[in-house]
Amino acid sequence: MSRWSAETLRIALAPGEAALLNPRGTRVLTTHERSAASLLPLLDEALSDPAWHGRRVEVVLSQHFVRHVLTPPPGKALRRNEEAALVAASLREIYGDEAKQWNVQVLSQPPQAGLVGAAVDESFTQQLDALLARHGFRDVTIRPLASFAAPRLPKKLQGWWVLVEPGWLSLFGGTHGIWQHLTALPVGADWAATLPELIEREAAWTTLPERPSVWIQALGVGTVPTPTSGTARWQVLPHDSQTHGALALAGI
């Protein structure tokens, strides 16, 4: 079990699947729909069971439902509202008017580095918040999977962080604890075989070391082989190869 309070309910939401986890047990809910909103009726019904009642809940959102951005370096220290405005503007440049409907979280970095933003559909998070409040939860945390997973990394990562879950790969590059590059893409079952090529391609856009360390953090995808090609130094973080899907995300 992860390092969280015994009174906490952990909920993970992924395309077509929701998982509930607390000290009393687990439950997995499935649907043929792939949107985040399609999981809300399933969750509403499941939380009517007193076994899941509590005060505190942490919701882990699959990276499928999150859009990240790295802004241009602001060059000076910004206030929190200015940081949020810069991230929102960068998202609109990439995704257009759709980004106006997103809730934005910001990770501050030194002024010579860009800000890291994470965005989720605001209508969905409002509905989820209201649903959890109806079921008695008063202490609610809703965050992307990357936010829960990052603490397992080396504190001063020099190179790449590969965060993999079923069907999706998030790639972050950084040095001295500062993120300098990020991308995300859908992947198939052969993601490990194509990873060296992806790293080499993305490295062409960065100033990261020529022979970087690559930390692979895989959740819910089974056994992860260590790549043998490419020039990187590969490191596979410990993972549970027997737990699959959203349940693996809930146990992070």
Side-chain angles (χ1 to χ4, degrees):
M1 182 146 324
S2 297
R3 301 183 299 273
W4 41 280
S5 166
E7 299 303 317
T8 299
L9 170 64
R10 180 71 65 78
I11 298 173
L13 302 179
E17 197 171 55
L20 289 75
L21 171 65
N22 70 12
R24 293 180 292 278
T26 63
R27 184 177 177 186
V28 176
L29 316 168
T30 60
T31 175
H32 293 298
E33 302 292 331
R34 301 283 292 174
S35 70
S38 68
L39 299 168
L40 294 177
L42 299 178
L43 198 57
D44 196 20
E45 180 181 359
L47 291 177
S48 65
D49 184 341
W52 305 112
H53 289 182
R55 178 178 180 81
R56 185 166 189 264
V57 60
E58 294 180 343
V59 181
V60 185
L61 292 180
S62 162
Q63 295 292 112
H64 282 267
F65 302 141
V66 182
R67 293 296 173 261
H68 287 286
V69 69
L70 181 65
T71 73
K76 64 177 183 178
L78 301 178
R79 295 190 294 269
R80 293 299 293 176
N81 64 322
E82 292 174 323
E83 289 185 334
L86 178 56
V87 167
S90 295
L91 286 164
R92 286 196 301 273
E93 283 187 13
I94 299 171
Y95 298 102
D97 288 344
E98 181 185 3
K100 294 179 180 178
Q101 311 303 319
W102 295 346
N103 178 278
V104 174
Q105 297 178 5
V106 181
L107 173 65
S108 299
Q109 298 205 110
Q112 70 273 17
L115 302 167
V116 177
V120 181
D121 181 79
E122 186 167 21
S123 174
F124 166 72
T125 57
Q126 289 176 345
Q127 292 178 65
L128 177 57
D129 233 350
L131 185 157
L132 295 170
R134 287 199 306 273
H135 287 281
F137 293 100
R138 296 293 175 263
D139 185 352
V140 176
T141 300
I142 304 172
R143 289 190 288 153
L145 173 62
S147 179
F148 286 97
R152 296 191 179 189
L153 294 170
K155 292 192 175 181
K156 295 295 183 181
L157 182 141
Q158 298 271 85
W160 297 94
W161 172 32
V162 182
L163 178 61
V164 186
E165 59 182 294
W168 197 260
L169 185 150
S170 302
L171 179 64
F172 301 80
T175 57
H176 306 294
I178 298 173
W179 297 116
Q180 300 179 4
H181 186 80
L182 60 85
T183 191
L185 66 161
V187 292
D190 64 341
W191 65 267
T194 61
L195 186 56
E197 180 183 349
L198 173 64
I199 295 291
E200 289 187 12
R201 184 172 69 245
E202 295 299 317
W205 299 92
T206 75
T207 58
L208 297 181
E210 290 185 7
R211 191 169 181 270
S213 294
V214 181
W215 296 84
I216 301 173
Q217 191 169 9
L219 298 166
V221 297
T223 302
V224 178
T226 302
T228 57
S229 60
T231 60
R233 297 186 295 269
W234 305 98
Q235 305 282 342
V236 178
L237 290 168
H239 62 285
D240 181 356
S241 61
Q242 301 302 311
T243 303
H244 295 269
L247 192 56
L249 277 56
I252 184 68

